[in-house]
Amino acid sequence: MKMTLKWINAAVLSAFSTIALSDDVSQVKSHFLEVPRVDVIGTKDQQFKQSSTSTIIEQQELESAHVMTTNEALRKVPGVVVRDEEGFGMRPNISIRGLNPTRSTKVLLLEDGIPLAYAPYGDNASYYYPAIDRFSSIEVLKGAEQIKFGPQTIGGVINHITPNAPQAFGGYVSATAGNRDFLNTKINVGGNGMLLDYTHKQGDGGRDNTYHNVDDLNFKLTKAINDYHGLTFRANYFSEDSQVSYSGLTRAEYINFGGRYNPFKRDDFETTRYGTSVTHDWQISSDLSLITNYYYSYFTRDWWRQQSNSSAGNIATGVGCAAVGNGRISGLAVDTDTCQGNQGRLRTYDTYGVEPRLSWSHDLGQLDMGIKAHYEEQRRVQKNGTSASARDGAISENNFRETNAYSGFISNRFDFGDFHLTPAIRYEHVENKRKNGATSASSLVTRGESTIHEWVPGVSLAYTPNDQYTVFAGVHEGFAPPRTEDLIGANGGSVDVGVEKSKNYELGFRARPNKAFSIESTLFYNDFDNLIAVGSVASNVALSEGKAKFGGLEILGRYDFDNGLYSRIAYTWLPLAEQESPFRNVLTNAIVGGSASGNRQPYAPKNTVTAAFGYKLGQWDAMIEAVHVGRQYADFAETKVVDITGQFGEISSYTIYNAAINYKMPAYKTTLFLVGKNIFDKEYIVDRTRGILTGMPALIQVGARYDF
């Protein structure tokens, strides 16, 4: 029986109010100096004492480097590899500790503690990502403490923090322009607990015949009702109207025309997202607080494209399409307009829920607990057009997917002097339903449903003898629910695919012996009983699963010299990314694409480094950054030679360089800046999933920011 948000909230408030009756609320002081929100990590001091690997990318680092995309920002975090796609970072592919990055399906994405993905239970894929300009900082949490967030606990949690709404009137405007028709304009203004933030970005993507046009509007209102209650209301609107193709290049196209080539002139990608949330913070007593998030988002995506990947046989059905596909394989300069066919993959998602979280500081430490009711509705339609520019056509897919998920966790940090022991457990109950409606080819309607539930335990330990050193260790179970379509087949029957499960271990330390130097290093080992490789028309593997293990070392360090020089490095060494058993097709049980025990996992480079060196002198701040990604395989068979489609074969290592120069003029409240991305214009392959895709070419940008 479906539980309503109203019932859950009433029950939680009643239960927690009973706890509060034993406390002296008269001793509560005003709590609302901070914005009511859920942090994954919290302050730098809180982060230093945590018993799991954690990183905060701070606002100053984002602003001084003039980070253009979330991809660029997350490369500053060890253990995280981000694969580029279209150049603007609108659909990032995030990997944590060796897991496949495709569509960021192995990562939990949050914004102020609220789900950012449109379907984190039923279809945890990133076809929407807000502009990085929206955020003031980013938190990345791995290890056992991520059990307090869910459903994904296999890779890590990435929480994007939005700026606080100021009390005093103020803000800024900025503008950036550059080559490839790049333009980024932004206004941020607020006061009296309100904040309005608007970003517009536009410019060419990484290939021919690609262009992006993005608008991101956000409003935040924060009010302290009294000494015990505070509210944060958020509303945002996001839209993207872009010319984006899906297919990568064939081997011959890449050789003949280079990585910027793209023959598709009529492909179109449009998204719209509305989101709103309310966060209520109730300081029940001096030691007891309750934060409750209510959230809702609506997301729609229409992607019209002629081809899903570089395989000639996968082009949309229509007159002349086979000839275009064969020409691409042969490396000919084809006219894709002669292909009288395309596909419109149309998606709409509604996501909403409520999540109260209780925190109680007691004599032995701190208790954290919470429950969540979360609901998703997916409407998926595919229409096959009869021309290259068609925006309607015959329906070939028409289905509705529904997910109702209920979860809860309890975690308690026990303080024993300098030791802090934190056991935690999470419970997930997920109900999935699928209805396949009639299409133009069939009047048959089928239905199916499936339910899964799982306990997710973990424990972590930290030893902090002083404010300069912390040693930590942890073990927890990784869990991720399968997609609705992977549990329930098109005919309404169940598919024999299990949940993703792993055992994850880490051992690390943090040190800040003085103000100039800080370092964090972690050894990790993740052993998967069942790892799912998601299949789709865009992938060169079918839906498959198998056993795998990952292990390595992460290092994050920074040193600030007395003369204004500074340096930082994020390094990941992944010597172990092994298939422990052959990955098998879930439907046929056949071994997938040469997979074998002992083979290295695809898209898992052994070495990744992001290192920066900068200099601050007076009003000047200059920085140069190197980003290195080691070689990697694109399939389970460790294929080295590139095939004709470009989808199989080794991806060579690459190193690119970014730079930024800032000049502040305090008398005019203005900052001028010059920014370069991939300043040596290196062409490098980043992906073969649906054919060869290359990274963004050189970008040179100039801009100014005025604070008021």
Side-chain angles (χ1 to χ4, degrees), residues 366-595:
Q366 179 170 308
L367 172 72
D368 292 298
M369 60 185 297
I371 59 175
K372 178 168 65 177
H374 176 93
Y375 307 101
E376 301 168 4
E377 296 177 353
Q378 308 178 37
R379 299 167 185 84
R380 300 168 63 94
V381 174
Q382 178 178 322
K383 294 183 177 182
N384 296 332
T386 56
S387 70
S389 57
R391 296 298 178 259
D392 202 356
I395 297 176
S396 62
E397 177 190 18
N398 178 22
N399 69 66
F400 174 78
R401 303 171 187 177
E402 181 180 3
T403 301
N404 303 325
Y406 310 100
S407 61
F409 78 92
I410 183 168
S411 169
N412 196 97
R413 189 192 72 235
F414 294 97
D415 298 331
F416 304 104
D418 297 331
F419 290 90
H420 312 283
L421 179 68
T422 308
I425 192 165
R426 182 175 193 86
Y427 176 72
E428 292 282 356
H429 176 90
V430 188
E431 302 169 357
N432 289 284
K433 299 178 182 179
R434 179 175 179 177
K435 175 185 176 182
N436 298 295
T439 67
S440 56
S442 172
S443 60
L444 180 66
V445 177
T446 61
R447 293 178 173 85
E449 57 184 73
S450 179
T451 300
I452 60 175
H453 56 86
E454 195 75 27
W455 290 98
V456 186
V459 62
S460 56
L461 175 68
Y463 172 62
T464 307
N466 51 46
D467 291 336
Q468 296 177 307
Y469 302 97
T470 293
V471 179
F472 60 89
V475 57
H476 78 281
E477 184 170 284
F479 163 80
R483 298 183 302 175
T484 302
E485 64 182 287
D486 294 339
L487 278 174
I488 307 168
N491 61 359
S494 61
V495 180
D496 188 18
V497 57
V499 301
E500 288 188 87
K501 296 183 68 174
S502 64
K503 293 181 177 61
N504 309 293
Y505 308 85
E506 62 176 19
L507 173 65
F509 76 94
R510 298 183 191 93
R512 49 182 185 187
N514 52 54
K515 292 183 178 179
F517 177 61
S518 63
I519 187 171
E520 177 175 306
S521 182
T522 305
L523 287 166
F524 63 88
Y525 175 74
N526 300 336
D527 190 357
F528 281 81
D529 297 325
N530 188 49
L531 180 62
I532 297 174
V534 175
S536 74
V537 294
S539 176
N540 54 31
V541 296
L543 174 65
S544 56
E545 57 187 357
K547 294 183 177 182
K549 54 186 177 183
F550 303 84
L553 172 69
E554 301 170 352
I555 299 175
L556 177 65
R558 182 181 177 103
Y559 192 87
D560 297 322
F561 298 86
D562 293 337
N563 60 0
L565 293 171
Y566 61 90
S567 61
R568 56 173 169 78
I569 186 170
Y571 172 64
T572 306
W573 180 47
L574 187 71
L576 181 64
E578 182 180 313
Q579 303 164 44
E580 286 193 281
S581 68
F583 276 65
R584 295 182 177 274
N585 186 308
V586 171
L587 297 177
T588 66
N589 201 38
I591 295 176
V592 175
S595 176

Side-chain angles (χ1 to χ4, degrees), residues 183-203:
L183 178 65
N184 182 358
T185 58
K186 181 176 178 65
I187 181 169
N188 179 290
V189 59
N192 194 30
M194 292 183 289
L195 179 67
L196 183 67
D197 185 280
Y198 171 69
T199 300
H200 172 79
K201 282 186 177 182
Q202 63 183 55

Side-chain angles (χ1 to χ4, degrees), residues 647-676:
Q647 296 177 32
F648 300 88
E650 187 175 278
I651 297 176
S652 299
S653 64
Y654 60 87
T655 304
I656 61 171
Y657 296 88
N658 306 318
I661 301 175
N662 299 275
Y663 178 66
K664 293 187 176 182
M665 299 184 292
Y668 300 98
K669 300 181 180 180
T670 300
T671 301
L672 305 178
F673 50 88
L674 172 65
V675 183

Side-chain angles (χ1 to χ4, degrees), residues 75 77-82 95 97-98 553-555 569-574 603-611 626-632 654:
R75 290 190 182 106
V77 180
V80 178
V81 177
V82 188
S95 164
R97 294 179 171 174
L553 172 69
E554 301 170 352
I555 299 175
I569 186 170
Y571 172 64
T572 306
W573 180 47
L574 187 71
Y603 296 103
K606 184 178 292 186
N607 294 284
T608 55
V609 184
T610 299
V627 178
H628 173 80
V629 178
R631 68 181 181 91
Q632 51 195 303
Y654 60 87

